[in-house]
Amino acid sequence: MSKLFKSMLAGMLAVALCLAGSPAPAEAAPQTLTNGTPWKDVNNASLQAHAGSILKVGSTYYWYGEDKIHNSANFKAVTVYSSTDLKNWTWQSYALTQASHSELQSAKIERPKVIYNESTGKYVLWGHYENGSDYSLARVAVATSSTPTGPFTYHGSFRPNNNESRDMTIFKDTDGTAYLISSSDNNYNLRIYRLTSDYLGIDAELNMIYEGDHREAPAIVKKGSIYYLITSGASGWYPNQAMYSTATSLNGPWSALQPLGNSSTFYSQSAFILTVQGSGATNYIYVGDRWNPGALGDSRYVWLPLTLNGTTAAMDYYDQISIDAATGAVSGVSNGTLLSQGKPATAQSALAANPAGFANDGSYQTEWVGTSVTWPHWWKVDLGSVQQINNVQISWWMMKGSEGFYQYRIETSTDNVNWSVALDRTGNTTYGFTSDTFSAHARYVRINMVNADLWNNPGNWYTPRIWEVKVYGQQADAARWQSHNFPTRYIANDGGAAKIVDNPTAANSEWIMVPGLADPAGVSFVLKSNPSVYLRHYNYVLQAQSGSGSTFAADATFYKVAGLADGGKASFRSYNFPTRYIRHSNNILRIDPISTATEKSDATFAEQ
């Protein structure tokens, strides 16, 4: 029996024994993952696998990463988790710990990556190695194991070809050859090396990928004959613009750098690219870390569908993504339709070269810029009609990770006159990108920028500006309100008077119920065909009118309650006259006290 066959057989047996010792994995099924939230393992413990990589063995995925639960950059452990569906992760072991070798007792091990060597039957781990006090060593570290869960045997650290190596990754090509890609020369140059056949050392240094571009956090994947390489800028723990380039040979030439995502990479840094190959498709996921420098153990994960097509890569943000590990299907879970792109936009001020419309033109690379250092400052979009708003994503101004976070309010209006605070984010401390989910009915969405805080230059000194705003939702539902005791009659606008009208037109009788102008816990009625027209009472008689101010807001606000004559229907109590309800009297709508059975019937309506 050949040594190669014996080695392969031993490796297969070790894997089989390892898997036999674990509970049988559940069958994969479509799963939904929520970005930017604390992820837990199946035992409800914090999932600590930062800046790592995922390796598939059979039908099981193994996730290796940095354990930051101690909230320190210094090394605690490299963790190993397993999953069959890419959502439910089981802690398996520590691949490396401080006790694995004396060199690890005071050290940093960052960006651990694992590949399998068929010829040796070994799982090989590479990472970035530093001492425990600074970043002066700039080495790689190597360890191996006969099983995917370890423990891994530590083989030491070194500088590849005597070059500095900080952020790095390793990549196994389709022919079995493996490569190291690492940031060198104080992160200004990105070098690539071919590994030895056992994956434990450097065989040869190839052409430099980037020279002088100051890139780090490399992540690479191959689709067909094209290699795609994603990197981040170098800005410490702060996010910045991801860039990518492509090549048909790892030795180059590599294409010019192109932006991927927005200017903060949706507040994340690239860790690796996950290939999900199933029975029906092969798809790719960008896996990033949303670092929290104040509490590294609370750093979050960002997984986004990555579209690779020819020599282009594209990525957009979703709060949630759906993954079917069995079929290979990967998709973003939408918060509705994108409502704001290309719609009329205005701002408190705008440079001629950077108009308000640049902030909702669909490009993360164009920006609206105000004309002066004036705070607060607002930007606004007209959606064209009243819509149900679910989510607002804002790509805030950030360049190379050296800027600040905005404190802001999202305000909404149906008529561009009466405004409500849909969400108060004046306590925001998130850099570069925010995704806010809430519920509102509005035609106009206004971003009111109250202030900004610059981490590297305290004191707000720059001009308000935004790269992109995306408003998601759907057409707001309109309803007709049918009289309880006169079923052919509906609440309608009759020439500015509010009445119950026999079979009125839809244009006069379809109302959108929005949060109350005077109290968002209440409701206000907006005419769908003319969103500036509200139901309001004046001297106890209801009108269909436009208006503004606190008195108008109070007169146009009601509380929806169970129907006074039929609990399955609705009645509406006045906001500023709590003992009075909307009722009809000889077809005219009024707000009146209610006591008799007839009055209760007159004050009850069915939603149609």
Side-chain angles (χ1 to χ4, degrees):
M1 185 182 295
S2 71
K3 292 182 178 179
L4 174 61
F5 184 75
K6 287 181 179 178
S7 177
M8 291 176 64
L9 184 61
M12 293 168 62
L13 180 60
V15 173
L17 290 173
C18 173
L19 296 178
S22 303
E27 291 296 320
Q31 301 291 336
T32 300
L33 282 71
T34 302
N35 283 314
T37 59
W39 287 13
K40 305 287 188 178
D41 66 16
V42 295
N43 294 315
N44 203 37
S46 175
L47 201 160
Q48 295 289 318
H50 304 289
S53 65
I54 291 178
L55 179 67
K56 189 177 183 182
V57 180
S59 60
T60 301
Y61 292 89
Y62 292 92
W63 191 357
Y64 305 86
E66 302 172 32
D67 187 344
K68 295 296 189 188
I69 198 68
H70 57 313
N71 293 326
S72 172
N74 284 356
F75 176 64
K76 177 182 184 293
V78 173
T79 52
V80 188
Y81 295 87
S82 67
S83 175
T84 57
D85 61 12
L86 293 170
K87 179 179 181 178
N88 297 291
W89 293 93
T90 300
W91 185 88
Q92 291 290 338
S93 63
Y94 289 125
L96 288 174
T97 68
Q98 291 175 309
S100 298
H101 193 275
S102 59
E103 194 174 78
L104 299 177
Q105 292 174 8
S106 177
K108 299 181 184 74
I109 295 289
E110 299 178 340
R111 307 188 73 79
K113 314 296 179 186
V114 177
I115 55 177
Y116 181 65
N117 190 312
E118 282 84 359
S119 64
T120 64
K122 296 290 186 179
Y123 295 86
V124 183
L125 182 155
W126 285 63
H128 169 206
Y129 178 86
E130 298 284 358
N131 63 42
S133 57
D134 57 34
Y135 280 84
S136 62
L137 295 182
R139 298 176 181 172
V140 291
V142 181
T144 61
S145 171
S146 297
T147 69
T149 56
F152 281 67
T153 300
Y154 186 74
H155 295 289
S157 64
F158 61 94
R159 283 188 171 185
N161 270 20
N162 293 318
N163 295 316
E164 288 184 348
S165 179
R166 291 187 169 87
D167 274 14
M168 44 65 62
T169 192
I170 52 175
F171 172 71
K172 180 180 173 182
D173 208 344
T174 48
D175 65 358
T177 307
Y179 300 84
L180 166 69
I181 300 172
S182 76
S183 297
S184 183
D185 311 305
N186 205 27
N187 291 339
Y188 277 92
N189 301 324
L190 194 70
R191 299 177 183 269
I192 182 167
Y193 308 87
R194 185 173 60 244
L195 301 186
T196 54
S197 60
D198 59 7
Y199 301 171
L200 301 182
I202 302 299
D203 177 50
E205 182 174 350
L206 307 184
N207 293 332
M208 194 176 295
I209 297 178
Y210 308 133
E211 186 170 6
D213 288 311
H214 213 205
R215 307 301 298 173
E216 62 180 20
I220 188 170
V221 73
K222 184 180 184 182
K223 179 184 178 184
S225 61
I226 299 177
Y227 302 90
Y228 300 82
L229 177 62
I230 297 172
T231 56
S232 79
S235 56
W237 299 110
Y238 295 92
N240 56 65
Q241 175 72 69
M243 308 286 279
Y244 76 93
S245 59
T246 61
T248 56
S249 168
L250 284 168
N251 203 30
W254 287 85
S255 66
L257 288 162
Q258 298 292 326
L260 180 69
N262 72 353
S263 61
S264 68
T265 320
F266 309 114
Y267 192 13
S268 74
Q269 183 186 44
S270 50
F272 63 97
I273 301 168
L274 172 62
T275 300
V276 183
Q277 185 173 5
S279 59
T282 298
N283 282 291
Y284 305 91
I285 297 174
Y286 163 93
V287 177
D289 291 283
R290 183 169 287 176
W291 295 112
N292 180 354
L296 287 171
D298 190 41
S299 298
R300 311 291 174 85
Y301 306 101
V302 175
W303 288 29
L304 297 172
L306 183 63
T307 302
L308 306 176
N309 186 14
T311 58
T312 62
M315 182 173 72
D316 222 326
Y317 183 80
Y318 300 90
D319 280 328
Q320 295 183 319
I321 69 166
S322 174
I323 303 175
D324 190 331
T327 66
V330 175
S331 61
V333 178
S334 176
N335 268 311
T337 302
L338 178 57
L339 305 173
S340 54
Q341 189 166 311
K343 296 295 176 65
T346 54
Q348 184 172 321
S349 70
L351 294 177
N354 299 90
F358 275 12
N360 64 319
D361 62 357
S363 171
Y364 292 119
Q365 307 306 314
T366 59
E367 59 175 333
W368 155 73
V369 181
T371 60
S372 63
V373 183
T374 303
W375 300 79
H377 219 97
W378 57 263
W379 177 95
K380 178 177 64 180
V381 62
D382 177 0
L383 302 178
S385 61
V386 175
Q387 308 282 345
Q388 166 65 45
I389 297 169
N390 301 332
N391 176 253
V392 175
Q393 297 177 11
I394 307 176
S395 296
W396 299 103
W397 193 64
M398 172 171 276
M399 292 294 290
K400 300 181 180 179
S402 63
E403 309 309 332
F405 53 80
Y406 278 66
Q407 297 158 332
Y408 62 99
R409 297 185 183 93
I410 299 177
E411 300 168 342
T412 57
S413 174
T414 59
D415 57 8
N416 205 25
V417 175
N418 298 281
W419 290 89
S420 299
V421 176
L423 196 67
D424 189 329
R425 293 298 309 277
T426 52
N428 175 55
T429 58
T430 298
Y431 290 90
F433 177 73
T434 52
S435 178
D436 294 312
T437 297
F438 58 93
S439 180
H441 287 82
R443 172 175 172 174
Y444 301 89
V445 176
R446 186 168 68 189
I447 312 302
N448 190 353
M449 291 152 279
V450 177
N451 202 355
D453 189 313
L454 280 73
W455 71 268
N456 62 343
N457 194 344
N460 184 4
W461 52 265
Y462 66 89
T463 302
R465 53 212 294 171
I466 296 176
W467 286 107
E468 191 72 10
V469 177
K470 293 189 174 184
V471 180
Y472 289 88
Q474 56 269 337
Q475 181 67 44
D477 292 331
R480 303 176 79 202
W481 291 95
Q482 178 190 56
S483 168
H484 170 67
N485 45 359
F486 293 94
T488 63
R489 297 180 183 179
Y490 297 82
I491 294 177
N493 171 23
D494 185 18
K499 299 180 180 179
I500 58 164
V501 176
D502 197 59
N503 295 316
T505 65
N508 287 327
S509 61
E510 288 189 341
W511 302 90
I512 297 173
M513 190 180 295
V514 301
L517 296 180
D519 180 2
V523 298
S524 292
F525 295 89
V526 176
L527 192 62
K528 179 182 177 181
S529 62
N530 186 350
S532 68
V533 172
Y534 292 83
L535 278 182
R536 60 84 57 110
H537 58 80
Y538 181 73
N539 288 337
Y540 304 140
V541 177
L542 261 69
Q543 309 288 335
Q545 293 180 339
S546 302
S548 61
S550 59
T551 300
F552 182 90
D555 292 344
T557 301
F558 305 89
Y559 293 107
K560 182 181 178 183
V561 298
L564 299 179
D566 181 343
K569 297 180 181 181
S571 295
F572 299 95
R573 179 168 55 86
S574 169
Y575 163 77
N576 47 357
F577 292 94
T579 62
R580 295 173 179 263
Y581 293 78
I582 295 177
R583 66 161 293 203
H584 57 80
S585 176
N586 295 326
N587 294 353
I588 295 173
L589 288 168
R590 301 173 47 85
I591 57 164
D592 284 336
I594 303 297
S595 58
T596 69
T598 298
E599 290 168 345
K600 291 179 180 179
S601 293
D602 292 344
T604 301
F605 303 89
E607 184 176 3
Q608 299 292 319

